[in-house]
Amino acid sequence: MKKSRYLAIVLAVVTAFTMCFATGCGGGGTAAAGNYLRVGWCSEPDVMNPLTSYSTESLQITSLVYETLMAYDADMKEIPALATSYEYSNGDKTVTFHLVEGAKWHDGEPFTADDVVATYNIVKDYQIGQCVQYVQDLEEIKAIDDNTVEMTFSAPQAYNPAFTVPILPKHIWGDMKAGEIEAFANETPIGTGPYKFVEWKEGSTVQIDRNEDYHGTPAGPDGVIFILYGNEDVAVQALNAGEVDILTEVSATLFDTLKGQDDIVAAELPSYSFHYLGFNMNQASTSKGNQLLKDLQLRKAMCMAMDKEKMVELCLAGYGEVGTSVLPPGFSQWKYEFKDDELIKYDKKAAAALLDEAGYVDTNNDGIREKDGKDLSFRIYCDEAASSDVRAAEIFRDDCKTIGIKLTLSTYDENTLGDFVYDAETSDFDIVLWGWDADFPDPSYMLGITLTDQIGNNNEVLYSNPEYDALYAEQAKLIDPAARKAKINEMEKLLYNECVFNPMWYQSKLQAYRTDRFEGWQEAPGGIIYSPTYVNYINIQPIAE
């Protein structure tokens, strides 16, 4: 995830839109009449700037408009994108990329090595975007010629940044300063990718059309229309009615209703995602978060009041498992398996005793503990349209009440929630319940969320720990998998015991798609779409009538 989130809109508006689309007026009459892939989702993008966006919805669009140097197929094997090949030298510290020839930006300008150099320097010099962590050791990048780029790092890199950094056109982005890039809405994205941006009707649809001049294999659909629905029930109804071809996500409580339906496949796939409970750890004096949460004893007690097994049972209908580290089961090669005596277990009696020991006592018998005159009263926020998250927040709130902690639950649409959480100065929240999907099938992505240099980018709990940062920097240089895994496991245990960023569960990736309009769907780890691969948007073909 970026984030996998939802935007709730007034049901009457959604219903009217759905009826409109069914009659051919949604997303533009011309588009609806062609072989357009119709994707149903319950959230829309935050911004079309690939360096500053945080949502999975934005990533779906920008990753089809822009390209990285290398990409992944449905088996998570590397495939060419803007680079056709690469090789290492200089003790694996230098990587030379050979670029595609004849590629053009969507505005007709030629793509060259200078665009790659400019993009990497923007990310490196301005420290902007979720890809910052992948270029920290980049010492030099230069264009050898129009079709060759050479990158030199201070040490070998465990993960190739060619899969992470979206290449931007120098003629548009090259003269911008850091502040201009951060404020750039990029309302008309110009990339080299298989689709061209057409329009975003906020609260309704996003349309992209096939790039007829694409340097690679042309996309099968004429284009893609992303259609916004107000909640999961309406989206499932739209799939059943044939108004959309695929849903980005299906609620666990609705998934079984799609099984056995004509022309519909309900797919349960391995997941690269987790949902978590996070505490605001912002150290800034301007933060509006409750400072009591800086106390590890308090956070640990609250984690002990988190009934994860109940959450999985009631919120996921069994389609998931209890979470521990920030690495979901999809990262089994790297993931640490906690021993039983290492786990912070659900135990409200022990949680109450820990609070007593830390000096949090209900002295006025109002049911709320306090210390130094300050009540243990906190705000917990979550996504209003994610029914599983809302239910989990309610369970957690009710359990906390029994140990003398008051939680006031508020639900918001995703963009409002993002405004609270991603404002690094004010960070106007105490506790947030949300979810993450990995953009790349490498552990560095999930582990990088809580890096200090991701505050203002991915690090929504605003956690900063020099020891954790140092461990991350070490694992990033370790080519030997066993040595890297050992370092990664240290990071997992450290973060787990800090009780800052607490995975509640790992939910199976539940998606559903129709088989009556397009063929060639490939089920992939992490999802058919909304996963590290984008091949299904390109490789599927319309079924001849």
Side-chain angles (χ1 to χ4, degrees):
M1 230 201 218
K2 300 261 179 113
K3 295 287 180 175
S4 180
R5 305 181 176 175
Y6 306 84
L7 177 66
I9 57 179
V10 180
L11 183 58
V13 175
V14 174
T15 304
F17 168 72
T18 303
M19 293 174 63
C20 178
F21 188 83
T23 58
C25 61
T30 301
N35 290 315
Y36 276 71
L37 173 66
R38 302 162 302 176
V39 179
W41 59 17
C42 295
S43 177
E44 64 181 346
D46 56 307
V47 68
M48 290 297 173
N49 184 329
L51 296 185
T52 62
S53 64
Y54 61 75
S55 68
T56 306
E57 293 74 28
S58 293
L59 185 67
Q60 294 298 287
I61 307 299
T62 59
S63 294
L64 294 170
V65 171
Y66 297 97
E67 295 179 280
T68 50
L69 293 176
M70 301 295 294
Y72 294 101
D73 67 11
D75 296 318
M76 296 301 131
K77 296 178 180 178
E78 63 180 58
I79 54 176
L82 280 174
T84 58
S85 63
Y86 62 90
E87 66 265 354
Y88 287 93
S89 60
N90 185 31
D92 289 339
K93 293 188 291 186
T94 297
V95 193
T96 302
F97 293 94
H98 304 282
L99 309 180
V100 296
E101 298 185 21
K104 292 183 178 180
W105 296 100
H106 295 160
D107 59 6
E109 292 292 319
F111 160 75
T112 72
D114 288 340
D115 297 305
V116 179
V117 173
T119 299
Y120 274 77
N121 281 332
I122 285 171
V123 176
K124 171 73 173 178
D125 295 344
Y126 295 150
Q127 295 287 288
I128 293 177
Q130 62 169 321
C131 300
V132 165
Q133 64 221 52
Y134 298 106
V135 298
Q136 297 293 40
D137 295 329
L138 180 62
E139 290 187 331
E140 182 183 24
I141 177 171
K142 59 184 179 182
I144 305 301
D145 55 43
D146 280 353
N147 300 304
T148 312
V149 169
E150 184 180 274
M151 300 184 196
T152 299
F153 296 85
S154 58
Q157 299 297 291
Y159 186 55
N160 190 338
F163 296 91
T164 70
V165 180
I167 306 304
L168 309 171
K170 180 182 178 182
H171 64 278
I172 295 176
W173 297 72
D175 293 330
M176 292 187 195
K177 303 301 182 185
E180 293 174 304
I181 291 173
E182 290 175 344
F184 186 37
N186 198 29
E187 294 178 350
T188 308
I190 300 294
T192 58
Y195 288 96
K196 292 184 176 182
F197 180 84
V198 177
E199 64 178 344
W200 175 9
K201 296 179 180 179
E202 291 193 42
S204 177
T205 60
V206 180
Q207 179 179 329
I208 55 178
D209 283 359
R210 180 174 57 218
N211 177 9
E212 302 295 350
D213 298 319
Y214 184 51
H215 61 85
T217 302
D222 292 339
V224 185
I225 302 175
F226 297 85
I227 306 169
L228 180 66
Y229 293 96
N231 58 59
E232 296 153 331
D233 286 310
V234 178
V236 166
Q237 291 168 20
L239 183 74
N240 276 320
E243 295 168 8
V244 293
D245 302 300
I246 187 169
L247 298 179
T248 56
E249 295 188 67
V250 178
S251 166
T253 57
L254 297 171
F255 185 69
D256 284 347
T257 68
L258 292 171
K259 293 180 176 179
Q261 298 290 330
D262 291 341
D263 299 320
I264 291 177
V265 174
E268 180 182 2
L269 301 166
S271 174
Y272 287 119
S273 67
F274 64 84
H275 283 233
Y276 73 96
L277 187 89
F279 298 102
N280 184 350
M281 299 299 293
N282 195 354
Q283 301 295 327
S285 60
T286 54
S287 172
K288 295 182 180 179
N290 194 313
Q291 298 302 302
L292 290 176
L293 292 172
K294 301 295 195 302
D295 183 354
L296 175 57
Q297 292 284 81
L298 171 59
R299 297 197 305 272
K300 184 175 182 180
M302 294 179 77
C303 289
M304 294 167 71
M306 191 187 307
D307 192 345
K308 295 182 180 181
E309 291 186 1
K310 183 177 181 180
M311 290 176 176
V312 169
E313 178 185 355
L314 297 183
C315 305
L316 301 185
Y319 286 107
E321 59 185 89
V322 167
T324 52
S325 103
V326 295
L327 294 184
F331 297 102
S332 58
Q333 175 187 353
W334 307 100
K335 182 177 175 60
Y336 181 71
E337 296 300 329
F338 285 84
K339 301 177 179 64
D340 187 68
D341 61 358
E342 294 176 314
L343 293 172
I344 299 172
K345 297 179 180 178
Y346 174 64
D347 188 336
K348 290 195 290 185
K349 183 176 180 180
L354 189 60
L355 291 172
D356 289 339
E357 179 185 321
Y360 297 101
V361 183
D362 180 12
T363 59
N364 56 7
N365 295 315
D366 65 350
I368 305 173
R369 294 173 182 263
E370 68 271 351
K371 185 177 182 180
D372 300 329
K374 297 179 180 179
D375 285 349
L376 294 189
S377 179
F378 308 102
R379 301 164 295 165
I380 180 170
Y381 296 165
C382 70
D383 192 336
E384 66 186 4
S387 58
S388 59
D389 287 4
V390 175
R391 183 69 184 108
E394 292 170 343
I395 293 171
F396 183 60
R397 176 197 62 194
D398 295 345
D399 276 335
C400 281
K401 182 179 179 179
T402 65
I403 61 170
I405 298 175
K406 179 182 178 181
L407 298 183
T408 301
L409 172 61
S410 298
T411 62
Y412 299 96
D413 67 77
E414 85 145 356
N415 288 325
T416 302
L417 186 56
D419 289 342
F420 289 127
V421 171
Y422 285 98
D423 184 341
E425 290 188 12
T426 63
S427 57
D428 192 7
F429 74 99
D430 299 327
I431 305 169
V432 64
L433 196 152
W434 224 338
W436 272 95
D437 275 317
D439 288 354
F440 321 115
D442 185 86
S444 58
Y445 182 77
M446 290 302 205
L447 293 167
I449 293 169
T450 48
L451 290 173
T452 299
D453 65 27
Q454 282 296 319
I455 292 176
N457 293 314
N458 278 352
N459 190 346
E460 56 216 336
V461 294
L462 301 106
Y463 172 71
S464 178
N465 185 330
E467 181 183 357
Y468 186 86
D469 295 345
L471 287 169
Y472 184 93
E474 290 177 41
Q475 68 81 31
K477 300 177 179 66
L478 295 173
I479 304 299
D480 176 61
R484 188 184 181 206
K485 175 176 167 50
K487 199 65 64 176
I488 285 172
N489 293 165
E490 286 186 59
M491 297 177 67
E492 291 177 274
K493 289 184 283 186
L494 186 158
L495 194 58
Y496 180 82
N497 289 316
E498 284 279 79
C499 300
V500 169
F501 199 64
N502 306 277
M504 300 178 300
W505 63 62
Y506 310 122
Q507 181 175 338
S508 299
K509 178 63 75 172
L510 304 179
Q511 294 183 329
Y513 60 94
R514 298 191 64 89
T515 58
D516 53 349
R517 293 188 67 244
F518 290 94
E519 60 185 356
W521 296 101
Q522 293 178 273
E523 296 184 1
I528 302 159
I529 58 176
Y530 255 45
S531 76
T533 182
Y534 293 84
V535 295
N536 278 303
Y537 287 109
I538 301 166
N539 293 346
I540 58 169
Q541 298 293 325
I543 295 175
E545 295 183 1

